[in-house]
Amino acid sequence: MGAYLRALRLSRGVNGSDAAWAIGSSAATLSRLETGRLHRIADAIARTRR
């Protein structure tokens, strides 16, 4: 899933910071999601809203 999201983001020319902002997350959290170190999008969003 993460590899697909990264490929989609890159194919659209969106950088990690802008994509993270769009989902209400940090660039570091988005990176962990894309590399498989974080497995659920809900976890990525929850980390920034604590």
Side-chain angles (χ1 to χ4, degrees):
M1 173 81 168
Y4 171 76
L5 289 175
R6 183 176 187 159
L8 182 62
R9 176 178 63 77
L10 292 175
S11 74
R12 303 279 193 236
V14 178
N15 68 36
S17 296
D18 290 341
W21 179 85
I23 65 167
S25 183
S26 69
T29 299
L30 179 63
S31 175
R32 284 191 294 276
L33 181 65
E34 289 180 347
T35 59
R37 290 180 285 157
L38 185 64
H39 301 287
R40 296 180 336 139
I41 292 172
D43 292 340
I45 294 169
R47 286 175 172 252
T48 61
R49 295 193 178 158
R50 291 184 187 163

